[in-house]
């Protein structure tokens, strides 16, 4: 028995429980975004804020997530994944409490930014842990399974948020998020193995770790995954920002039923994740990603038609969103795996850069939905469709320049 030897041992063979734990850590971001969505109109009333100001708390959260990821990725390549994840979750916990006691829209906005900066560590680095433990194709399969676990968050979060509003005000939602952050912090300290052994960090200087961003950005193959995956995600963030007001205020959906409509889309996401994990070996990463992005662009076209004409009402808005949201998991998982696989020595930086660009573009699309909001679904439909079209253009355009690939 070698149980007494505790120097850098290789990471334990990842099992189902570890995948569930990693999926739970990735859930931090979706929970923080989605759980309070049904309360946005209540927050606007309670803090005497304009709806656009409340929508901007989503935008600020996405910006904070992007900033946090950019910092955490290279640092984790230098000092390891686990301590960085724990520090981020501690900040997420404190910021959630700050949001819960906010007495103005300004305080809430600042709290949301800090909440996002902390939450970015768990979301970005859980994926890097998967890359540390698996090959590129194996990581893509595991990331798809993690996405299925993570899908529980957006499926349940708006429904839970709506039910909380039946018995308490919107502040209780942030106390629940603080409790989730505390549970994640405890789990990361007691159950999460360190996946990056000290031997893998030797020779990595902190400034050199940050310089990895430059090496990734000058690679055309990396840009194909980075740009198409990020624009695809930006479509979902536009949907997240727009649907509370489109569904609840324009179409008159009760807040408690908003979660059900939201959850239908997540069912599509879970199904797409399962199909992606099953057919990756047969179709290959590149082909299945291209098919998914093409399907998203088709869904965006139908959504734009619905927004411009008003034909079909709620259901012609909701139906194409099934496709647009459903493809999020396979596209994100495959693009992340390809990107980290191309830069194995800087997997943390690659994962962080992908997350930062995704959430940065998500913040921009979220901001556009708020700025263009005219009381109708058009702003949301147009921004979602535009992001889907840009994802399609970047994927197929850069693939053409790069030539045949995996």
């Amino acid at each position: 028995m070698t149980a007494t030897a505790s120097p850098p041992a290789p990471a334990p063979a990842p099992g189902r429980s570890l995948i569930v734990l990693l999926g739970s850590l990735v859930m931090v971001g979706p929970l923080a975004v989605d759980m309070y969505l049904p309360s946005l109109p209540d927050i606007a009333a309670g803090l005497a804020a304009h709806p656009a100001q409340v929508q901007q708390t989503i935008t600020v959260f996405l910006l904070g997530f992007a900033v946090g990821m950019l910092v955490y990725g290279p640092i984790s390549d230098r000092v390891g994944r686990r301590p960085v994840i724990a520090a981020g979750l501690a900040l997420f916990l404190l910021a959630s409490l700050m949001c819960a006691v906010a007495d103005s829209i300004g305080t809430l906005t600042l709290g949301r930014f800090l909440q996002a900066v902390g939450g970015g560590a768990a979301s970005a680095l859980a994926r890097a842990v998967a890359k540390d433990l698996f090959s590129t194709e194996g990581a893509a399969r595991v990331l798809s399974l993690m996405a299925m676990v993570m899908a529980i968050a957006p499926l349940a979060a708006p429904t839970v948020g709506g039910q909380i509003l039946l018995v308490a005000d919107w502040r209780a939602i942030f106390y629940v998020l603080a409790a989730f952050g505390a549970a994640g912090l405890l789990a990361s300290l007691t159950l999460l193995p360190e996946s990056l052994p000290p031997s893998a960090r030797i020779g990595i200087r902190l400034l050199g770790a940050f310089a990895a961003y430059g090496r990734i950005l000058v690679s055309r193959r990396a840009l194909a995954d980075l740009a198409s995956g990020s624009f695809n995600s930006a479509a979902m963030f536009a949907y997240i920002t727009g649907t509370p007001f489109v569904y609840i205020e324009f179409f008159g959906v009760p807040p408690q039923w908003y979660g059900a409509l939201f959850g239908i889309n997540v069912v599509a996401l879970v199904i797409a994740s399962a199909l992606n994990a099953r057919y990756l070996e047969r179709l290959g990463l590149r082909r299945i990603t291209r098919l998914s992005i093409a399907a998203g662009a088709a869904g965006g076209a139908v959504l734009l038609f619905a927004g411009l004409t008003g034909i079909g009402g709620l259901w012609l808005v909701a139906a194409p969103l099934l496709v647009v949201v459903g493809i999020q998991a396979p596209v994100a998982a495959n693009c992340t795996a390809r990107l980290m696989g191309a830069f194995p020595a800087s997997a943390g930086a690659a994962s962080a850069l992908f997350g930062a660009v995704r959430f940065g573009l998500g913040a921009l699309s979220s901001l556009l939905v708020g700025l263009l909001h005219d009381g109708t679904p058009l702003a949301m439909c147009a921004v979602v469709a535009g992001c889907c079209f840009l994802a399609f253009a970047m994927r197929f355009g850069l693939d053409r320049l790069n030539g045949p690939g995996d």
Side-chain angles (χ1 to χ4, degrees), residues 105-129:
I105 191 64
T107 303
L108 179 64
T109 302
L110 176 61
R112 289 288 287 168
F113 179 80
L114 295 175
Q115 190 186 40
V117 170
S123 187
L125 299 184
R127 294 180 173 91
V129 170

Side-chain angles (χ1 to χ4, degrees), residues 9-312:
R16 191 172 301 174
S17 60
L18 179 58
I19 293 172
V20 171
L21 174 57
L22 294 176
S24 300
L25 291 175
V26 177
M27 281 169 61
V28 170
L31 272 179
V33 173
D34 299 335
M35 187 177 288
Y36 91 134
L37 293 179
S39 70
L40 294 189
D42 287 352
I43 292 174
L47 297 180
H50 190 276
Q53 290 178 298
V54 181
Q55 285 180 321
Q56 284 169 12
T57 63
I58 300 176
T59 303
V60 165
F61 184 91
L62 299 177
L63 284 173
F65 227 62
V67 170
M69 287 183 170
L70 285 174
V71 173
Y72 292 134
I75 291 176
S76 77
D77 285 334
R78 181 68 180 88
V79 305
R81 315 297 188 205
R82 187 170 140 181
V84 181
I85 290 174
L89 286 169
L91 177 58
F92 177 87
L93 166 60
L94 295 175
S96 297
L97 294 174
M98 179 180 177
C99 292
V101 300
D103 58 359
S104 69
I105 191 64
T107 303
L108 179 64
T109 302
L110 176 61
R112 289 288 287 168
F113 179 80
L114 295 175
Q115 190 186 40
V117 170
S123 187
L125 299 184
R127 294 180 173 91
V129 170
K131 180 61 189 81
D132 293 340
L133 301 176
F134 295 91
S135 66
T136 298
E137 293 238 348
R141 280 190 289 273
V142 172
L143 288 168
S144 289
L145 295 173
M146 284 170 58
M148 290 176 65
V149 175
M150 186 184 73
I152 296 171
L155 175 61
T159 302
V160 172
Q163 297 306 310
I164 290 173
L165 293 177
L166 291 176
V167 297
D169 68 5
W170 58 268
R171 298 177 188 277
I173 293 173
F174 288 102
Y175 284 118
V176 172
L177 289 172
F180 186 83
L185 176 59
L186 180 63
S188 69
L189 291 173
T190 59
L191 301 175
L192 183 68
E194 176 54 67
S195 62
L196 190 68
S199 59
R201 308 170 214 162
I202 294 174
I204 299 179
R205 297 177 181 272
L206 193 54
L207 288 179
F210 278 95
Y213 289 142
R215 294 193 297 274
I216 296 168
L217 289 172
V218 298
S219 166
R220 263 198 331 225
R221 288 192 181 276
L223 283 177
D225 293 305
L226 189 62
S228 64
S230 297
F231 276 116
N232 187 69
S233 292
M236 185 177 69
F237 291 123
Y239 148 78
I240 288 171
T241 303
T243 49
F245 291 96
V246 170
Y247 286 180
I248 296 172
E249 293 199 343
F250 185 81
F251 288 118
V253 175
Q256 290 72 38
W257 284 102
Y258 170 79
L261 278 175
F262 201 93
I264 291 170
N265 291 303
V266 182
V267 171
L269 185 148
V270 172
I271 292 171
S273 296
L275 292 173
N276 186 58
R278 180 173 182 179
Y279 290 105
L280 263 176
E281 203 167 317
R282 184 182 305 177
L283 297 177
L285 281 172
R286 187 171 184 259
R287 185 178 177 192
I288 203 166
T289 304
R290 285 161 62 92
L291 289 171
S292 299
I293 289 175
V302 176
L303 188 64
L304 182 59
F305 172 80
L308 287 170
T309 64
I311 293 173

